[in-house]
Amino acid sequence: MELGGGIVETIGGTPLIQLRQLFKGQPFRVFGKMEWMNPAGSAKDRPALFMLREAIRRGEITRDSVVIESSSGNLAISLAQLCCYLGLRFICVVDPRTTEQHKQIIRCFHGEIDLVTEPDRETGEFLPARIYRVGELLRQIPNSYWTNQYGNPDNYRAHAETTMKEIGEQLGPVDYLFCGVSSCGTIRGCMEYIRSQKWPTRIIAVDAEGSVIFGGPKGSRKFPGLGSGITPSLHHPDMTDLVVYVSDRDCVQGCRELVRQEAILAGASSGGVIAAIHKLSGSIPEGSVCAAILPDRGERYLNTVYNDEWVKQELESNPSSF
């Protein structure tokens, strides 16, 4: 069994465009890496491909395997698409924060949803509860395999070998990299490539308020895909130069600015990345080149980020203020 050809060939090589209108008048330039233009709609296509392909190469996944993963949504869609292509059964463990759009897309690719409804009793977080459920499924289902995005080195290797390499080929050694964090796969992989090239790039981690990845105080978060209730195994103490925390409101404002100024409909994490650049804009030196990874599509957030009633109710904010 091989994972290649067909839709697989379209993963990676996403466009890198200058955000001219959004940062007009600033003494630095910002280029957005359009990861939402991957075939399954997010940056998660890259690690999904690497984790499956390497597991197949090692003989850990065969035609009889059942692939299982815990995901807030985007990686699940990517794995569901590739497992559908391979003819493999795929089960995704999600929690109530996963949007209906994400779940519908997973089902369209013949993926199965296993919903965890209660958070972990000890931590109050859903992620440990999802991982516990993965363990139960692994024990119950013969020939099951956990891709384990939180601890699988193939997750970050995907970004070291493709994402950051692609940015470097177009822009050279950028001055700043802005990257959202969750499993830490993207930022860890980009860090590995940057350090291997001995670039002076400052790596800026964009984390959600309430996330504990870098030791911040735990709190509630509205959006999946940014931040985490645990420190993932892929976290590395030297993988970032600075952490910028963004709120749910920051994410919505950043998304709506992307649409208004650049006609880019992106997901909540992308809005957080834009907000982080704004927060640091006063300290970015003149002439700097900044790369911003925009992880996923906005269509999956039509009922949240781009829904005025949701914004009023959940964020207690006036949509007209964005």
Side-chain angles (χ1 to χ4, degrees):
M1 183 169 60
E2 294 183 359
L3 184 52
I7 195 68
V8 178
E9 299 301 319
T10 67
I11 294 175
T14 54
L16 188 67
I17 65 171
Q18 185 174 352
L19 305 179
R20 297 179 185 274
Q21 300 300 322
L22 192 52
F23 295 99
K24 187 177 181 179
Q26 293 287 0
F28 52 84
R29 291 181 294 160
V30 178
F31 293 84
K33 184 66 166 162
M34 306 287 104
E35 286 298 279
W36 49 269
M37 295 185 74
N38 278 300
S42 81
K44 297 294 188 179
D45 280 14
R46 298 175 189 264
L49 171 59
F50 268 63
M51 289 190 293
L52 289 176
R53 189 168 61 195
E54 290 303 299
I56 291 169
R57 183 185 61 80
R58 292 188 296 262
E60 297 166 354
I61 291 179
T62 68
R63 293 199 178 277
D64 297 322
S65 295
V66 179
V67 178
I68 301 174
E69 183 57 281
S70 157
S71 170
S72 59
N74 281 330
L75 179 66
I77 291 174
S78 300
L79 287 170
Q81 182 180 53
L82 293 176
C83 286
C84 181
Y85 182 72
L86 288 168
L88 296 177
R89 183 184 175 194
F90 171 64
I91 303 172
C92 181
V93 180
V94 302
D95 64 52
R97 290 190 309 157
T98 302
T99 71
E100 287 303 314
Q101 290 96 328
H102 281 88
K103 289 185 283 188
Q104 288 173 356
I105 297 170
I106 293 166
R107 292 189 181 105
C108 284
F109 286 123
H110 302 282
E112 301 171 32
I113 300 294
D114 192 294
L115 178 64
V116 170
T117 58
E118 297 295 330
D120 175 63
R121 291 182 180 180
E122 184 176 338
T123 64
E125 293 285 341
F126 276 105
L127 180 52
R130 291 193 339 233
I131 293 175
Y132 180 80
R133 178 56 180 160
V134 168
E136 289 184 329
L137 292 172
L138 291 172
R139 290 188 291 272
Q140 295 168 8
I141 301 173
N143 300 318
S144 54
Y145 177 82
W146 180 25
T147 43
N148 188 12
Q149 63 165 318
Y150 314 104
N152 190 336
D154 293 324
N155 182 345
Y156 73 77
R157 286 173 184 153
H159 297 288
E161 294 183 25
T162 67
T163 311
M164 198 64 220
K165 182 179 179 182
E166 291 170 15
I167 292 173
E169 288 172 348
Q170 290 186 255
L171 297 178
V174 296
D175 299 296
Y176 287 81
L177 173 71
F178 287 82
C179 181
V181 292
S182 182
S183 72
C184 291
T186 306
I187 197 166
R188 171 73 181 273
C190 290
M191 178 274 288
E192 296 282 355
Y193 185 84
I194 287 169
R195 301 290 189 256
S196 72
Q197 299 298 309
K198 299 185 177 359
W199 290 353
T201 306
R202 284 181 57 79
I203 302 172
I204 312 300
V206 182
D207 200 4
E209 292 182 356
S211 167
V212 304
I213 294 175
F214 299 98
K218 181 174 66 175
S220 62
R221 308 182 307 280
K222 298 290 185 184
F223 299 119
L226 188 65
S228 176
I230 64 172
T231 300
S233 298
L234 296 184
H235 175 272
H236 190 283
D238 298 325
M239 70 183 185
T240 182
D241 296 293
L242 181 67
V243 179
V244 176
Y245 288 96
V246 293
S247 66
D248 294 326
R249 191 183 189 283
D250 290 333
C251 291
V252 172
Q253 182 162 350
C255 284
R256 294 190 174 209
E257 286 181 353
L258 266 173
V259 172
R260 186 171 59 251
Q261 298 294 332
E262 302 286 354
I264 294 173
L265 190 69
S269 298
S270 299
V273 169
I274 295 301
I277 299 173
H278 282 310
K279 290 187 177 195
L280 289 189
S281 60
S283 62
I284 298 176
E286 182 177 354
S288 294
V289 174
C290 307
I293 297 178
L294 307 182
D296 69 344
R297 293 176 182 165
E299 289 92 336
R300 297 163 189 181
Y301 303 87
L302 294 179
N303 292 333
T304 54
V305 170
Y306 299 102
N307 185 305
D308 287 351
E309 290 304 314
W310 186 91
V311 170
K312 289 178 186 177
Q313 181 176 338
E314 298 295 328
L315 301 185
E316 299 181 348
S317 298
N318 183 355
S320 63
S321 66
F322 295 117

